[in-house]
């Protein structure tokens, strides 16, 4: 549980800004949440570096056109800070909203490696792991 309140708050703010950016289509801001060589691992594959992260946003934009009002909900974030590096884990629910109400697309977990760059926290690596559905 090492790390100052300020560091933990800044990391929580990064997690929130990341989700707001992708949900509201501010893809440049989403890419800026990562280091220059940042890695995003999700169900669509692995994207390394800001050029590939930008390609991911194009895929997400195409997918999002078919999904109204996508919302990432993140909770129960636990973060350990060691100097200018940190690891963090959060629960995730991805929802869409429409006339019928909210629908959970999936739930899962974010596992993050973060670094402080120029005084700001950034994702060095972010991995999304979907929950496995229970056996029928």
């Amino acid at each position: 549980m090492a790390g100052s309140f300020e560091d933990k708050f800044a990391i929580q703010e990064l997690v929130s800004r990341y989700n707001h950016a992708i949900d509201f289509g501010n893809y440049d801001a989403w890419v800026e949440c990562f280091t220059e060589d940042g890695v995003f691992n999700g169900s669509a594959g692995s994207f390394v570096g800001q050029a590939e992260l930008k390609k991911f946003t194009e895929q997400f934009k195409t997918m999002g056109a078919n999904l109204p009002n996508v919302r990432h909900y993140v909770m129960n974030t636990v973060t350990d800070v060691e100097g200018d590096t940190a690891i963090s884990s959060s629960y995730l629910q991805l929802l869409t909203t429409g006339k019928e109400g909210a629908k959970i697309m999936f739930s899962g977990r974010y596992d993050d490696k973060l670094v402080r760059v120029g005084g700001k926290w950034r994702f060095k690596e972010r991995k999304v792991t979907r929950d496995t559905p229970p056996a029928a």
Side-chain angles (χ1 to χ4, degrees), residues 43-70:
S43 59
S46 183
F47 300 83
V48 181
Q50 295 209 344
E52 285 192 22
L53 292 168
K54 185 69 174 168
K55 287 180 186 178
F56 170 81
T57 65
E58 293 302 318
Q59 290 180 13
F60 187 86
K61 182 179 181 180
T62 301
M63 180 186 76
N66 298 320
L67 301 173
N69 301 319
V70 173

Side-chain angles (χ1 to χ4, degrees), residues 57-103:
T57 65
E58 293 302 318
Q59 290 180 13
F60 187 86
K61 182 179 181 180
T62 301
M63 180 186 76
N66 298 320
L67 301 173
N69 301 319
V70 173
R71 298 289 182 262
H72 290 76
Y73 288 93
V74 178
M75 61 220 86
N76 297 335
T77 301
V78 177
T79 304
D80 291 314
V81 179
E82 185 74 36
D84 288 336
T85 64
I87 57 170
S88 187
S89 180
S90 306
Y91 294 145
L92 163 69
Q93 286 186 338
L94 182 67
L95 284 82
T96 59
T97 61
K99 292 178 184 176
E100 302 82 30
K103 176 184 174 188

Side-chain angles (χ1 to χ4, degrees), residues 24-40:
F24 292 107
N26 190 349
Y27 301 128
D28 290 337
W30 183 86
V31 171
E32 289 173 13
C33 291
F34 290 86
T35 61
E36 289 291 325
D37 60 348
V39 178
F40 176 73

Side-chain angles (χ1 to χ4, degrees), residues 112-123:
D112 303 317
K113 294 178 183 176
L114 304 106
V115 294
R116 189 185 340 244
V117 178
K120 296 183 179 182
W121 286 100
R122 298 286 182 253
F123 295 111

